[in-house]
Amino acid sequence: MIIDIHYHLMPAVTEEMAARFAKHVVRAAEIMGKTVSFEAIVQKALETWADPTGERLIALMDEAGIDVTVICMVDNAGVPHLTQERIQKANGIVADVARRYPDRVMALAGVDPRRPEAPDMLRRCFEEFGVKGLKYHPDYGYDPCGPESYKLLEVLAEHGGILLTHTGPLMPPSRCRFADPRLLADLAVDFPELKVIAAHMGAVDWRSWANLALHQPNLYGDLAMWDAHAFGHYELFCRELRDIIDYAGVTKVLFGTDNPLFNTVEPTRNWIHLLRGLPANAPDGIKFTEEEVAAMLGGNAASILGLE
Ligand SMILES: [Zn+2]
């Protein structure tokens, strides 16, 4: 079973969004050693990313061979036009997509803890929309373990939801200090039952994440955006992934894509193919087993999501 734990479903795509996301895609392409034009990515985003019904998601899953996808919405209370009404409407749309494809899709709500109504918003996302958890982007400017966040996480824990939270530096205006995996440390103490997935495992800061994941039973991480390193620097990627597994444990690493963004540079089926090929193709001295790959591609996520 292949499970993508990290997918951004976009009900609509504005020019501003397309330009913002295209920068990340261009950066990933640079890491891969590919040249892509910013304008071409913006154009492709405007033409192909908006997916209010989930049809494009399912087509991409079928094409890549993905069985189940966890889609998310992202809230940012710092953006004036992203009102509470708008984000709740978007949360309702991603939840509807999950309801439309109950065997294939699960949804995480986006609620920024800085909103005064955040706990009520999340409660409604669980009780009326049927979401499975919450997505954070703390690098928009909040502490994932701050007092505002704790009020929201209490609602999340009460509903047995999971938290997918961004970790690792991104280009400005991302406030990278809030994306430090070490900021998640208190969650294991104050919300011991809460399953927390550090998106990107802290990226190059993965050791900070692995150091915690080794000791904190419910802290996981995902491989989203690691495809850039895997295609750009295969040997380095193999070495790092081997170390990540050896330090944190293979059960902590989950497949993810951050799609639809990076499928535009390298098709996701190639990312899966690269991971599947690790036991056969990893450079001399670096070994992976078929069992490890199967666990990362879906087995681990299946146990977290209760799909076994
Ligand atoms: Zn993401």
Side-chain angles (χ1 to χ4, degrees):
M1 183 186 268
I2 299 187
I3 301 175
D4 178 0
I5 201 81
H6 187 158
Y7 184 101
H8 294 270
L9 189 113
M10 304 181 201
V13 178
T14 62
E15 299 228 1
E16 179 277 324
M17 279 167 77
R20 185 155 41 88
F21 290 130
K23 281 188 201 158
H24 295 294
V25 175
V26 170
R27 171 61 46 84
E30 281 167 8
I31 298 170
M32 290 185 196
K34 291 185 175 195
T35 314
V36 295
S37 112
F38 174 79
E39 290 74 21
I41 300 291
V42 169
Q43 197 53 38
K44 193 153 189 187
L46 288 169
E47 285 167 13
T48 66
W49 287 0
D51 189 17
T53 62
E55 275 167 64
R56 282 174 160 159
L57 161 70
I58 296 295
L60 200 160
M61 288 168 70
D62 289 343
E63 200 233 6
I66 292 169
D67 300 289
V68 174
T69 294
V70 177
I71 59 174
C72 65
M73 184 41 58
V74 181
D75 186 17
N76 182 352
V79 175
H81 65 80
L82 192 56
T83 59
Q84 183 180 319
E85 290 67 33
R86 279 177 107 148
I87 191 71
Q88 277 300 67
K89 193 173 167 209
N91 282 329
I93 293 172
V94 292
D96 279 346
V97 169
R99 277 198 283 229
R100 197 168 294 135
Y101 303 100
D103 300 330
R104 309 226 30 211
V105 183
M106 292 184 178
L108 307 181
V111 180
D112 186 320
R114 292 172 293 179
R115 293 189 189 275
E117 306 294 323
D120 288 337
M121 289 170 68
L122 184 62
R123 194 167 283 117
R124 189 166 161 232
C125 287
F126 274 104
E127 292 166 12
E128 283 179 39
F129 304 160
V131 300
K132 295 281 186 245
L134 176 65
K135 164 81 179 182
Y136 266 180
H137 245 290
D139 56 305
Y140 291 158
Y142 56 89
D143 180 348
C145 274
E148 290 163 323
S149 171
Y150 266 32
K151 285 187 199 154
L152 196 51
L153 296 180
E154 274 160 26
V155 177
L156 181 67
E158 209 177 285
H159 291 83
I162 60 170
L163 175 68
L164 175 67
T165 181
H166 177 86
T167 56
L170 290 172
M171 66 190 80
S174 177
R175 296 188 185 275
C176 302
R177 71 189 167 98
F178 292 115
D180 186 327
R182 280 172 284 209
L183 287 186
L184 305 175
D186 280 356
L187 297 181
V189 181
D190 299 322
F191 298 94
E193 305 299 322
L194 181 65
K195 291 189 166 51
V196 178
I197 302 162
H200 323 293
M201 303 182 292
V204 179
D205 274 343
W206 65 262
R207 281 167 195 270
S208 301
W209 165 81
N211 212 5
L212 288 175
L214 170 64
H215 298 290
Q216 302 191 340
N218 285 326
L219 179 63
Y220 301 85
D222 80 36
L223 281 163
M225 283 175 79
W226 280 84
D227 44 345
H229 300 293
F231 287 105
H233 312 277
Y234 183 67
E235 184 167 347
L236 173 67
F237 170 74
C238 290
R239 257 192 342 254
E240 296 277 275
L241 182 60
R242 185 66 261 165
D243 285 354
I244 287 169
I245 294 172
D246 288 342
Y247 280 118
V250 71
T251 58
K252 296 307 189 80
V253 184
L254 314 177
F255 175 69
T257 65
D258 236 327
N259 274 332
L261 275 70
F262 302 116
N263 187 57
T264 47
V265 189
E266 186 72 47
T268 296
R269 63 170 182 277
N270 296 352
W271 176 212
I272 293 170
H273 186 74
L274 183 149
L275 291 167
R276 279 218 165 114
L278 287 172
N281 304 330
D284 284 350
I286 307 174
K287 296 212 175 337
F288 293 94
T289 65
E290 306 280 347
E291 291 72 25
E292 286 174 333
V293 172
M296 291 188 287
L297 280 176
N300 298 335
S303 10
I304 294 168
L305 300 170
L307 294 176
E308 287 164 313

